[in-house]
Amino acid sequence: MKQAGFPLGILLLFWVSYITDFSLVLLIKGGALSGTDTYQSLVNKTFGFPGYLLLSVLQFLYPFIAMISYNIIAGDTLSKVFQRIPGVDPENLFVGRHFIIVLSTVTFTLPLSLYRDIGKLGKISFISTVLTALILGIVITRVVSLGPYIPKTEDAWVFAKPNAIQAVGVMSFAFICHHNSFLVYSSLEEPTVAKWSRIIHISIVVSMFICVLFATCGYLTFTGFTQGDLFENYCRSDDLVTFGRFCYGVTVLLTYPMECFVTREVIANVFFGGNLSSVFHVVITVVIITIATLVSLLIDCLGIVLELNGVLCAAPLIFIIPSACYLKLSEEPRTHTDKILSCVMLPMGAVVMVFGFVMAITNPQDCTHGQEMFYCFPDNFSLTNISDSHFQLTTQLPTLNISIFQ
């Protein structure tokens, strides 16, 4: 919302969700047409080894970078949770983000990622969904109790902003699940295109509803001050949000193994013919997670990670490759709805990918990682003619009633 403009951002969320729904169904239709059961084998049969190699790189990079972003989120959120424990020194090494990332990796994400059957993560996914609902309730609560006390930036309600393509990259990151769609499809008791379509329609509608609520409530609360990680905006003294941070941290830790499954499958398909021995299964999993952990220890700004992963990996996986495969495989007439939409999606994906990358590099998001926001202090703040590249603000921030954060 901050990058695109609030009204345009809402419209783009609906558009990206529709495209995601269409392309997920299109992907499985392509698999049925080609007689393949993995994304890689579909592209290999359609475009040969060059296409297979390109997809393998994208299909590895997207979940791998997602694993890095999940580590960043876990480190940011859970460290603030532990710092709120009475008697704990906030400067203590053992409650710092680096230690939290390593600890959560060793105790949670690594053991869960060592499963061989993705179906065993079903109950874990359910827990993650329940926690997401709790987090959403907290964000909605705070838009009412905290929002009126946060000054609104001057350009808060403009229809559109020039960084809208970057926003599409972030939205693509949020919605994409194409890289593990065949894994999930094969885990169904009776996998059919019709059954898959019903599941996708329901899932995307629910996801869109949640994303719209999160985006709307978060942006209405903080407008131009919104950070790439929304929980970075809330004050550390807010106990309700501290509980939300805990739920958020647990949610991303439970989502992490899904991404690791995909990266491991790509390596298995490319280098080991699709089958890994028990020893190689463990070794490759440990190597992947170790590298992701080391990178996440060096990067602490989430926004740029989401943008780049969205425009470079998610955009081609959502917009370009499913459309290209279907157009080449399908024998439907050119006027068929699926073919028309595929012809529209393909060039749009290319535009998002190229221009999104250029804008993400030339106009990076601000990142105030680990810094307490100015409105979290209980003193009066006079913000007079503050000007930078993002906002100009002339307002008086009243003294915050500390009860807001309790």
Side-chain angles (χ1 to χ4, degrees), residues 326-347:
Y326 184 79
L327 288 172
K328 189 167 183 179
L329 292 169
S330 177
E331 297 180 357
E332 297 286 352
R334 294 182 179 179
T335 55
H336 191 275
T337 304
D338 287 349
K339 279 204 168 181
I340 293 174
L341 288 175
S342 296
C343 289
V344 173
M345 277 174 51
L346 203 154

Side-chain angles (χ1 to χ4, degrees), residues 375-393:
Y375 46 75
C376 294
F377 300 98
D379 300 321
N380 284 334
F381 284 85
S382 179
L383 295 154
T384 306
N385 296 326
I386 296 178
S387 175
D388 64 19
S389 60
H390 295 283
F391 61 89
Q392 290 182 328
L393 177 63

Side-chain angles (χ1 to χ4, degrees), residues 269-286:
N269 289 337
V270 173
F271 298 104
F272 298 93
N275 296 310
L276 290 175
S277 66
S278 297
V279 174
F280 276 107
H281 173 84
V282 173
V283 170
I284 290 174
T285 303
V286 171

Side-chain angles (χ1 to χ4, degrees), residues 280-344:
F280 276 107
H281 173 84
V282 173
V283 170
I284 290 174
T285 303
V286 171
V287 170
I288 291 171
I289 291 179
T290 299
I291 296 174
T293 302
L294 291 175
V295 175
S296 60
L297 293 174
L298 300 174
I299 301 174
D300 60 11
C301 194
L302 184 63
I304 188 64
V305 176
L306 299 182
E307 286 184 9
L308 289 177
N309 204 18
V311 297
L312 291 180
C313 299
L317 289 172
I318 292 177
F319 298 96
I320 300 174
I321 298 176
S323 302
C325 288
Y326 184 79
L327 288 172
K328 189 167 183 179
L329 292 169
S330 177
E331 297 180 357
E332 297 286 352
R334 294 182 179 179
T335 55
H336 191 275
T337 304
D338 287 349
K339 279 204 168 181
I340 293 174
L341 288 175
S342 296
C343 289
V344 173

Side-chain angles (χ1 to χ4, degrees), residues 28-180:
I28 299 302
K29 284 183 178 179
L33 289 171
S34 62
T36 55
D37 58 0
T38 69
Y39 203 165
Q40 289 169 291
S41 59
L42 166 62
V43 175
N44 189 27
K45 191 164 185 176
T46 309
F47 294 105
F49 183 74
Y52 170 82
L53 194 60
L54 175 62
L55 176 75
S56 297
V57 172
L58 292 173
Q59 204 174 10
F60 176 85
L61 283 178
Y62 172 80
F64 181 74
I65 298 175
M67 290 164 63
I68 294 171
S69 68
Y70 292 157
N71 275 338
I72 294 173
I73 292 171
D76 288 345
T77 56
L78 295 179
S79 61
K80 292 181 176 64
V81 171
F82 294 131
Q83 289 170 7
R84 287 292 293 162
I85 298 175
V88 173
D89 182 5
E91 301 300 322
N92 192 315
L93 176 66
F94 297 106
V95 294
R97 65 180 300 273
H98 293 88
F99 181 79
I100 296 298
I101 290 173
V102 174
L103 180 65
S104 62
T105 297
V106 173
T107 57
F108 287 98
T109 55
L110 178 58
L112 290 174
S113 298
L114 286 171
Y115 278 121
R116 299 185 73 101
D117 180 11
I118 198 169
K120 292 184 178 180
L121 298 178
K123 293 181 180 179
I124 292 174
S125 296
F126 176 74
I127 295 172
S128 180
T129 304
V130 172
L131 292 177
T132 299
L134 291 175
I135 298 166
L136 181 58
I138 293 171
V139 173
I140 293 173
T141 300
R142 281 297 176 253
V143 71
V144 176
S145 60
L146 178 60
Y149 295 92
I150 308 298
K152 310 306 177 189
T153 51
E154 188 180 73
D155 62 350
W157 313 119
V158 299
F159 180 82
K161 296 181 182 179
N163 293 344
I165 292 182
Q166 290 169 263
V168 173
V170 175
M171 294 172 191
S172 299
F173 178 91
F175 277 95
I176 186 175
C177 51
H178 300 60
H179 55 297
N180 55 28

Side-chain angles (χ1 to χ4, degrees), residues 168-332:
V168 173
V170 175
M171 294 172 191
S172 299
F173 178 91
F175 277 95
I176 186 175
C177 51
H178 300 60
H179 55 297
N180 55 28
S181 57
F182 279 98
L183 282 171
V184 177
Y185 177 73
S186 63
S187 73
L188 300 178
E189 290 184 0
E190 296 178 2
T192 64
V193 174
K195 186 174 184 180
W196 174 256
S197 299
R198 289 195 300 270
I199 292 171
I200 290 302
H201 296 333
I202 295 171
S203 300
I204 292 297
V205 168
V206 173
S207 298
M208 180 186 68
F209 176 73
I210 292 173
C211 282
V212 168
L213 278 179
F214 262 120
T216 301
C217 294
Y219 186 78
L220 290 179
T221 307
F222 303 109
T223 61
F225 302 111
T226 305
Q227 297 294 301
D229 179 354
L230 184 62
F231 273 104
E232 287 290 292
N233 278 99
Y234 294 101
C235 305
R236 297 187 185 187
S237 58
D238 189 336
D239 290 334
L240 179 62
V241 172
T242 297
F243 174 69
R245 287 192 177 103
F246 174 76
C247 294
Y248 188 31
V250 172
T251 297
V252 297
L253 291 179
L254 297 180
T255 307
Y256 186 104
M258 290 283 288
E259 309 300 347
C260 186
F261 265 73
V262 179
T263 58
R264 187 174 60 224
E265 185 196 39
V266 171
I267 291 176
N269 289 337
V270 173
F271 298 104
F272 298 93
N275 296 310
L276 290 175
S277 66
S278 297
V279 174
F280 276 107
H281 173 84
V282 173
V283 170
I284 290 174
T285 303
V286 171
V287 170
I288 291 171
I289 291 179
T290 299
I291 296 174
T293 302
L294 291 175
V295 175
S296 60
L297 293 174
L298 300 174
I299 301 174
D300 60 11
C301 194
L302 184 63
I304 188 64
V305 176
L306 299 182
E307 286 184 9
L308 289 177
N309 204 18
V311 297
L312 291 180
C313 299
L317 289 172
I318 292 177
F319 298 96
I320 300 174
I321 298 176
S323 302
C325 288
Y326 184 79
L327 288 172
K328 189 167 183 179
L329 292 169
S330 177
E331 297 180 357
E332 297 286 352

